Amino acid sequence: MKFSPLVQELIQSLKCLPGVGAKSAQRMAFQLLERNRVGGKKLAESLALAMEQVDHCHSCRNFTEQDICDICASPKRQENGQLCVVESPADVIAIEQTGEFNGVYFILMGHLSPIDGIGPEELHLDVLANRLANGHFNELILATNPTVEGEATAHYIAELAKQHNINISRIAHGVPVGGELEYVDGNTLSHAFSGRKNYL
Amino acid sequence: MKFSPLVQELIQSLKCLPGVGAKSAQRMAFQLLERNRVGGKKLAESLALAMEQVDHCHSCRNFTEQDICDICASPKRQENGQLCVVESPADVIAIEQTGEFNGVYFILMGHLSPIDGIGPEELHLDVLANRLANGHFNELILATNPTVEGEATAHYIAELAKQHNINISRIAHGVPVGGELEYVDGNTLSHAFSGRKNYL
């Protein structure tokens, strides 16, 4: 005994979402069918549209339905001469919200992870190398996550960029603003000490 | 600064799923766009189909794309004379898997919950009353959840069914099979004692 074919198929399809197992998928299907048909139809439409039309920006590899995303298309951004490498589109949003950075981005869509079969090719580092060779950048800012994989990826990209006569920098490690020293982990604290700056 | 319009809309739509907030929706959208376009398209299709075609069985209110679901359509099931009231389609699956029950069902799709605006009308108890009046049932089995709301709903339905000269029963409360007495809560244990049966 199972649910009716269409319901069964909907539950099965919902399981492709990350973090959604059999029970959650069932709950989602029932919720949409019973209480939110409008939302369900809307979701079906947005999904179909996005899966069909959204592609990667040819320049920075961010998700966009245009050939070139808005940031890459801006002449002001291009003139700035800074290129910031991040792991995900969400990182771009976070950096944009600070208002600190006015250059262009390159989004890796992940990090090097040989165990998952993600190597330089999967991160499209050839596109990045091309941009470094052809663009007139004066600084490459490595803003991958401060994790083991992120550090390894940053190191790999730095090695790759060395030949292009360009400043290579890494975002600073240190104590986060607003935290208490007591609760900061030892690794971060030792980074904060070794990276200390002259004050006044 | 936001994501591109289609991506933004996809993230927004994904938030209609229960238990999915802004961050999860973002993660789901990126995962589908980056690693599982096929799954995303499949989900869009199943969703559109299910939202459009799946309706309630006219008899038991279970989800089905037919007028009458398979269980209600079976003559063998109808002749059995037992009607079991449950809260959700998942409960039907659970009961069917035991193989203990051969009658038909009525699915409430929820429980009485005045605070959420769910009263007898929302549970379509008029459909149930019609079936009790017109069908030839000899037993009504109340299998709502053993929660406060489930008990209240069972009580309400029992009152409703009283006039129809029909046996009304409630599934047994007691210690679950395979558990240890030590870890059973007091309420369940007192139910288990008051509901004890002659042995041998």
Side-chain angles (χ1 to χ4, degrees), chain A residues 38-63:
Chain A
V38 178
K41 280 181 192 171
K42 183 93 189 42
L43 174 56
E45 282 164 28
S46 334
L47 252 178
L49 260 182
M51 292 299 128
E52 199 59 54
Q53 296 187 13
V54 172
D55 205 343
H56 295 284
C57 167
H58 291 328
S59 177
C60 74
R61 296 204 34 84
N62 202 349
F63 291 123

Side-chain angles (χ1 to χ4, degrees), chain A residues 5-22:
Chain A
L6 286 184
V7 178
Q8 193 65 36
E9 203 180 296
L10 173 58
I11 294 174
Q12 195 58 38
S13 303
L14 280 166
K15 283 200 278 184
C16 80
L17 296 171
V20 175

Side-chain angles (χ1 to χ4, degrees), chain A residues 3-7 33 37, chain B residues 50 53-58 60-70 109:
Chain A
F3 300 105
S4 80
L6 286 184
V7 178
L33 285 168
R37 298 247 173 177
Chain B
Q53 297 187 12
V54 172
D55 205 341
H56 296 284
C57 167
H58 291 327
C60 73
R61 297 204 34 84
N62 203 347
F63 291 123
T64 177
E65 51 266 35
Q66 299 152 304
D67 282 346
I68 299 286
C69 74
D70 290 345
M109 299 287 173

Side-chain angles (χ1 to χ4, degrees), chain B residues 111-129:
Chain B
H111 46 238
L112 290 176
S113 177
I115 215 164
D116 301 315
I118 299 177
E121 249 170 67
E122 279 71 25
L123 300 183
H124 295 265
L125 293 186
D126 50 327
V127 178
L128 177 61

